[in-house]
Amino acid sequence: MQKAEVENIDKTKEQLLDELETLRQRITVLEVLETELENSNELFRMLFFSSPIGMYIVQDGYFQIVGHQFARIVGYDEDELMGKPSLTLVFPEDRNAVRENAVKMLKGESSSGYECRIITKGAVIKWVMETVAPVSYQGRRATLGNLMDITERKQAEETLKRMVGEIGHSNVELEQFAYVVSHDLQEPLRMVSSYTQLLARRYHDKLDTAANDFINYAVDGAERMRVLLNDMLAYSRLGTQKKPFKPTNYGDVFNQAMTNLKIAIEESGALVTHDYLPTLIADEGQLVQLFQNLIGNAIKFCNQESPRIHVSAETKSGVWVFSVRDNGIGIDPQHAQRIFEIFKRLHTREEYSGTGMGLAICRKIVERHGGHIWVHPQPGEGSTFYFTIPVTGGKSP
Ligand code: ADP
């Protein structure tokens, strides 16, 4: 053999070895890819078929792949679903919304999920939460859907809504009942009251001491009942005779309350001061009542020579916090919650006059304006009543 021929054979051998090496490398890469593909297929199968979320792929409106959980939710066998039009499972009234959502998804608008009803094979209507995303299946556009059965949650929500409605309804009925009772009882009470007062005046000298005492008890009882009914009427009017909310200057509200409390302030020598007070959307008449009740209590529950009362307001994370601070008798912390209940009093009539409705009225007014009311009790050092009103003002009902 010629030298040149030997060299050629060597070159060809080298080339063949190189190509063999390249092939070997490619095979290794392919093997790795195959393992990865198997792994991801396994993962896909696991996700699709064992996921607690119902998954499916729909192409051209027909089911192509369905997961076990999806089949379980809709009550069909997986085979029965293959090739079935997906929309037939959707409750007729919800089909348009589902279609619109699919169009949005195809336009590339992101879907945060939607709720709709489906009809199962056993004709049971279920609520589901569904999210859809575009995917490519066998080289063509398709939809990957995830579905969760939320029937129990929906039923619980419905029950809650119904109960809230019923409670609201019976609250309205109760309010109307309280209003009618307190309003209609005033007339016969006026009669009892005026005739017992007439008895007291006309027969004062003509009867014995015991009879005079009895008449005085009756007059006193009728008067107390009048005050009670008036307070009950004021309380029920908060719910039945509401005024629309409008911008209200709390400084003006304070001044109006002070005018209404003029006599009590003069008699007690109270000094009532205030800081800057804002303007917020509110029911002005009710706010005057609120300030009047709180400042009135601060004057009443005071054993000092002269009551010192200070009203202030500051904004804190979206709400105005108002405070009414006094130097009065203070409140035992264990009663701090209960004093806002209807007719709840901590003292006898002989100690301090009142019906126990004042703070219940305050609470109702504050809550109607979207806020809370509470007291910071300091027995022996006075009390500070706080209430909040959202910065945006109350929500007009
Ligand atoms: P009333 O003033 O008619 O008793 P309220 O509902 O206004 O009813 O108040 C309930 C109770 O809370 C009062 O009886 C009193 O014991 C207590 N209270 C209210 N305001 C104060 C206050 N500023 N200082 C001390 N105790 C108070």
Side-chain angles (χ1 to χ4, degrees):
M1 214 186 286
Q2 295 285 310
K3 191 177 169 208
E5 276 176 334
V6 172
E7 275 175 7
N8 262 345
I9 286 172
D10 280 350
K11 237 184 216 161
T12 314
K13 201 171 136 196
E14 247 170 58
Q15 272 172 358
L16 278 174
L17 280 173
D18 277 354
E19 277 172 21
L20 197 65
E21 180 53 25
T22 315
L23 267 177
R24 222 179 259 138
Q25 280 171 3
R26 281 193 187 154
I27 286 169
T28 319
V29 170
L30 276 176
E31 275 171 359
V32 170
L33 282 177
E34 198 180 39
T35 322
E36 274 178 12
L37 192 65
E38 260 171 31
N39 285 346
S40 66
N41 269 347
E42 182 57 31
L43 192 68
F44 172 80
R45 264 195 298 278
M46 213 171 72
L47 271 176
F48 220 89
F49 297 108
S50 322
S51 163
I53 294 171
M55 295 173 100
Y56 63 82
I57 286 180
V58 163
Q59 198 169 49
D60 304 327
Y62 293 90
F63 286 112
Q64 301 300 321
I65 309 183
V66 294
H68 297 321
Q69 179 65 356
F70 178 78
R72 210 183 60 76
I73 294 173
V74 297
Y76 285 88
D77 287 339
E78 284 151 52
D79 296 345
E80 287 176 305
L81 288 165
M82 289 307 169
K84 193 175 170 67
S86 60
L87 264 186
T88 53
L89 294 188
V90 180
F91 190 68
E93 276 175 33
D94 295 350
R95 281 181 195 163
N96 273 346
V98 170
R99 252 189 233 113
E100 278 166 24
N101 209 75
V103 172
K104 271 192 200 162
M105 178 209 64
L106 292 174
K107 279 190 197 157
E109 291 173 32
S110 71
S111 152
S112 55
Y114 53 88
E115 294 176 357
C116 66
R117 285 161 294 178
I118 55 158
I119 312 165
T120 67
K121 188 180 174 184
V124 176
I125 296 170
K126 283 185 179 177
W127 273 100
V128 293
M129 163 68 130
E130 188 161 33
T131 43
V132 287
V135 286
S136 167
Y137 177 69
Q138 291 182 340
R140 288 198 307 115
R141 202 165 60 174
T143 301
L144 170 68
N146 293 318
L147 190 110
M148 241 170 24
D149 187 350
I150 54 163
T151 312
E152 275 181 23
R153 196 195 82 197
K154 274 284 183 190
Q155 280 166 351
E157 274 174 17
E158 287 300 317
T159 313
L160 198 68
K161 221 190 278 172
R162 208 187 55 244
M163 279 163 75
V164 168
E166 280 169 9
I167 290 170
H169 186 68
S170 60
N171 265 352
V172 170
E173 274 184 350
L174 266 178
E175 258 170 13
Q176 276 162 357
F177 176 74
Y179 177 76
V180 171
V181 167
S182 43
H183 184 265
D184 289 7
L185 279 182
Q186 277 184 332
E187 180 48 34
L189 180 67
R190 249 193 299 274
M191 199 173 249
V192 173
S193 185
S194 36
Y195 278 102
T196 43
Q197 281 170 19
L198 195 66
L199 261 179
R201 274 201 309 275
R202 276 215 194 149
Y203 295 94
H204 186 68
D205 301 331
K206 302 184 177 99
L207 301 168
D208 59 16
T209 346
N212 281 341
D213 283 348
F214 296 158
I215 293 172
N216 286 341
Y217 292 148
V219 170
D220 183 47
E223 174 58 16
R224 271 192 288 128
M225 201 157 169
R226 189 188 64 79
V227 176
L228 261 172
L229 283 182
N230 261 346
D231 281 358
M232 264 178 74
L233 198 59
Y235 184 81
S236 56
R237 272 194 180 131
L238 297 176
T240 52
Q241 298 181 9
K242 318 178 244 211
K243 296 247 168 57
F245 286 13
K246 59 180 174 50
T248 302
N249 179 265
Y250 278 54
D252 294 345
V253 165
F254 173 87
N255 291 335
Q256 185 57 53
M258 292 294 281
T259 308
N260 297 351
L261 289 166
K262 198 165 178 285
I263 296 171
I265 292 171
E266 279 171 6
E267 277 176 4
S268 63
L271 181 68
V272 191
T273 49
H274 73 90
D275 292 338
Y276 164 77
L277 297 172
T279 295
L280 299 169
I281 307 287
D283 179 331
E284 187 169 356
Q286 290 194 354
L287 281 185
V288 172
Q289 204 173 355
L290 170 67
F291 273 62
Q292 196 175 315
N293 286 2
L294 292 177
I295 299 172
N297 274 351
I299 296 172
K300 182 164 71 173
F301 296 104
C302 187
N303 50 13
Q304 305 274 338
E305 279 289 286
S306 80
R308 294 270 175 277
I309 299 148
H310 186 70
V311 178
S312 63
E314 57 174 329
T315 34
K316 264 186 204 166
S317 31
V319 291
W320 275 94
V321 183
F322 293 85
S323 64
V324 180
R325 191 179 71 230
D326 65 44
N327 60 342
I329 58 171
I331 294 165
D332 187 339
Q334 63 172 320
H335 301 306
Q337 290 287 324
R338 295 173 51 223
I339 54 172
F340 295 97
E341 290 167 16
I342 291 174
F343 296 133
K344 189 57 71 193
R345 308 203 67 225
L346 304 180
H347 304 94
T348 61
R349 268 183 295 118
E350 287 68 33
E351 290 173 297
Y352 296 99
S353 64
T355 57
M357 284 298 284
L359 289 178
I361 288 175
C362 290
R363 185 170 74 176
K364 197 159 175 186
I365 293 174
V366 170
E367 286 176 356
R368 195 182 152 227
H369 284 76
H372 302 287
I373 186 166
W374 70 99
V375 64
H376 185 58
Q378 295 145 286
E381 288 175 42
S383 342
T384 308
F385 281 80
Y386 294 93
F387 66 88
T388 57
I389 301 284
V391 174
T392 48
K395 276 188 259 103
S396 198

